Amino acid sequence: MKISDFQTKDVINIVDGKKLGQISDLELDLRQGRIESIVVPSSGRLFGWFGGSTDVVIPWKNIVKIGMDVVLVKLDDVRSYRQQDEVETTTYEYNRQYRG
């Protein structure tokens, strides 16, 4: 599966049935060679241009199912926001490197 395949899928929280948005980024642990989390822009942003700089960061362990059109996640507290500049040194963000 390519990253572009992830970015076209809607992310749905199975706890409340709400659509959180589409995946904008993946956080990778290069040392372990695995995906740590998916990043979904907060609902106040439009293509990353307008609004605040907070994202919903969803740990990989919270992903329930990846389907053809959607990614189902289980989040009890959707207010798990993180400022974009709080990136750990072991994490590599795909879009910032390759999408400019």
Side-chain angles (χ1 to χ4, degrees):
M1 182 174 280
K2 299 181 284 188
I3 186 151
S4 59
D5 295 335
F6 272 108
Q7 292 175 318
T8 60
K9 297 179 187 298
D10 291 326
V11 179
I12 308 292
N13 188 358
I14 64 170
V15 173
D16 57 10
K18 289 186 180 177
K19 176 181 171 184
L20 301 176
Q22 290 186 328
I23 298 170
S24 65
D25 237 338
L26 295 177
E27 292 187 349
L28 306 174
D29 181 343
L30 295 178
R31 292 181 188 157
Q32 299 293 323
R34 61 180 165 207
I35 299 172
E36 283 190 349
S37 57
I38 60 174
V39 181
V40 178
S42 64
S43 59
R45 293 177 62 191
L46 177 62
F47 303 114
W49 294 65
F50 304 107
S53 63
T54 57
D55 293 327
V56 178
V57 179
I58 304 166
W60 189 257
K61 66 181 180 179
N62 289 56
I63 296 175
V64 176
K65 181 78 173 174
I66 299 173
M68 294 293 292
D69 299 319
V70 298
V71 176
L72 300 177
V73 299
K74 185 175 181 181
L75 288 178
D76 294 320
D77 184 15
V78 181
R79 290 188 253 167
S80 310
Y81 292 110
R82 180 224 42 203
Q83 295 294 330
Q84 281 194 347
D85 58 351
E86 293 178 12
V87 179
E88 296 180 21
T89 57
T90 61
T91 303
Y92 172 82
E93 292 194 14
Y94 175 84
N95 282 344
R96 285 183 177 74
Q97 181 72 19
Y98 291 105
R99 297 183 118 211

